[in-house]
Amino acid sequence: MKKTRNQKAWFMVLPVLILVAFSAIIPLMTVVNYSVQDTFGNNNFFWVGLEWFEEILASDRVHDALGRQVTFTAIILAIEVPLGIFIALHMPKKSGFWSSLCLVLLALPLLIPWNVVGTIWQIFGRIDIGLLGYTLDKMGINYNYTQNALDAWITIIIMDVWHWTSLVVLLSYAGLRSIPGPYYQAAKIDQASRWAVFRHIELPKMKGVLLIAILLRFMDSFMIYTEPFVVTGGGPGNATTFLSIDLVKMAIGQFDLGPAAAFSLIYFLVILLVSWAFYTVMMNMDKEADV
Amino acid sequence: MAKITLTNLAHSYFNNPNHDNDYALKPLNHEWTDGTAYALLGPSGCGKTTLLNLISGLLTPSKGKILFDGNDVTDLKTAARNIAQVFQFPVIYDTMTVRENLSFPLKNRGMKKDYIEKRVKEVADAISLNDILDKKASGLTADIKQKISLGRGLVREDVSAILFDEPLTVIDPHMKWQLRTQIKEVHKNLGHTMIYVTHDQTEALTFADKVIVMFEGEVLQIASAAELFERPAHTFVGYFIGSPGMNILPVSIEEDNAVLGSHNIMLDAKYKKLTGKIELGIRPEFVTITNDPFALPVTIDKVEDVGHYKIARARFQDHPLNIILNECDEIKSATTHVIFDKKKINIYQNDWRVEP
């Protein structure tokens, strides 16, 4: 086939380029600009080189926040992915009233704005007026997410599971529904166990959507800000201060623009790196499947 | 391997079928002899897949019974019926190697390790998968994948029947023939009862010992390829088998004479008095162009060259008539005369063939 060469086509892309420049490139460059300079007010900036980066990389505070972040993300992935698959496996297989009802119910948490989710759980968990907190308190269980770090973590993790497991369920369910009937029939004929059906039919066929679900949940949870901020404000102490919360504290709370800029660039690179690694692994798995 | 008996078997997808047309499969009595290769042939929606699913146990019949070697299996689930099935598209376990795929059904049945190894080797020999036993099954071509799914059925020595549901649908044309030959070979060497669903007559006629032609949920004829060609039991069979299909012309019968309009066609035998819709069927292969001015006059609309022979699309009055031309036949004018080979004429009463 002969390809048409027409350089004018580039003009078609121009509007998008301009938009992207204003929405992404220019703000990003401002951050880069801040990260290599210091200021003592009055809009006077002077060059400090990589000093801020060195400071952030060596900072215990950032290390702690990163540690908390990785722990949080690992925990919610470890809960949401298996739970999501489990729920998807037990949803009605045929389309009809019950499967539609399940889908609507599952989609609900996904439609609630994040700060509302935070507010819901902030109130839900309060021991004076919240249904959950009050009930636990009356049952004699010592629960207080504003004072106990473990309680705060549990609350935030349950909130995230409540909010986001549906995403994994919906993606897995879509993956499951796309498996043609003969696979199950063949498995029956071969007398495969339920586990073998899951291991050798369902899981391999869901692999693609599952990896996307994991990638989405990783990125989202690694950048989580609004919900824990609304519920605990990063406390008690620094117990739930994840990377984003810490970054905002540094940038807006303390107005340390230089270190905050360096911090956000490193943060950005970490997410980019992990996502890229994920993507490569995914692509390699696809290739393996084709060879 | 087993003999399969169907007694009064019928199926409807409606809960309360009260009309004949509600049945996807109309009542059927048949005995499938052990070790025979059958083909279920018919156009889409004729009920052949329904019949296959009833035998495999994926569907429970609305009426009637299915017996395997005399044992009633009507209410048994697929797994308990001991059948194997090859589906329209290859069903393999992507995560496993070819060897693991083949041993999977045996492993699930708790067979011993060395027995599994022996069986897998035998089957791999039979369908020539030897060279790729340790390859991942997911990367192979569709025809090899189909062989793997066939192999998963073959490894079980006690399998009652192997069912094929249009197994060549997704196979490249040049591989179809090869795979079909191989399936036939397996049948010859191992002697399983095989039931093969297809809407392709070439596939059915070359594969099967017996072809079952179905139309609108009804079995029209169960016969060998030659019989279907020479003596179609129903006008639909005549029309469906063959390329082009049988010519069907409305006639009236007077003993050994068929009257077509104002023309008489001599028959090979005498028929008793027939009432209802009477038709004469003659295959295009047995229509010959002649110079005899007293033979049947026809108008030729066009001649199609299909390579190894030519088809003339003709008309007798308003009735279409296809003629397969001989090498030497030359069409000189649009109007000519034809004669029928009287030994090859079939007579139909209300679409069903009548014996002289």
Side-chain angles (χ1 to χ4, degrees), chain A residues 80-107 110 164-180 184 194 198 201-203 205-213:
Chain A
E80 286 174 15
V81 174
L83 183 64
I85 296 173
F86 180 81
I87 295 174
L89 284 174
H90 289 84
M91 275 175 55
K93 298 245 161 11
K94 284 186 188 126
S95 42
F97 174 76
W98 291 109
S99 70
S100 305
L101 184 75
C102 284
L103 291 175
V104 169
L105 286 178
L106 282 165
L110 298 175
W164 288 112
T165 305
S166 304
L167 182 79
V168 185
V169 177
L170 294 182
L171 284 169
S172 307
Y173 186 62
L176 281 175
R177 287 291 297 273
S178 70
I179 302 174
Y184 292 105
R194 182 70 193 88
F198 175 70
I201 295 173
E202 290 170 332
L203 199 58
K205 299 277 166 208
M206 276 197 293
K207 195 177 67 188
V209 283
L210 264 185
L211 281 168
I212 289 175

Side-chain angles (χ1 to χ4, degrees), chain B residues 241-257:
Chain B
I241 309 264
S243 167
M246 189 181 246
N247 296 304
I248 309 283
L249 299 162
V251 291
S252 58
I253 299 289
E254 286 162 8
E255 294 197 321
D256 58 353
N257 208 6

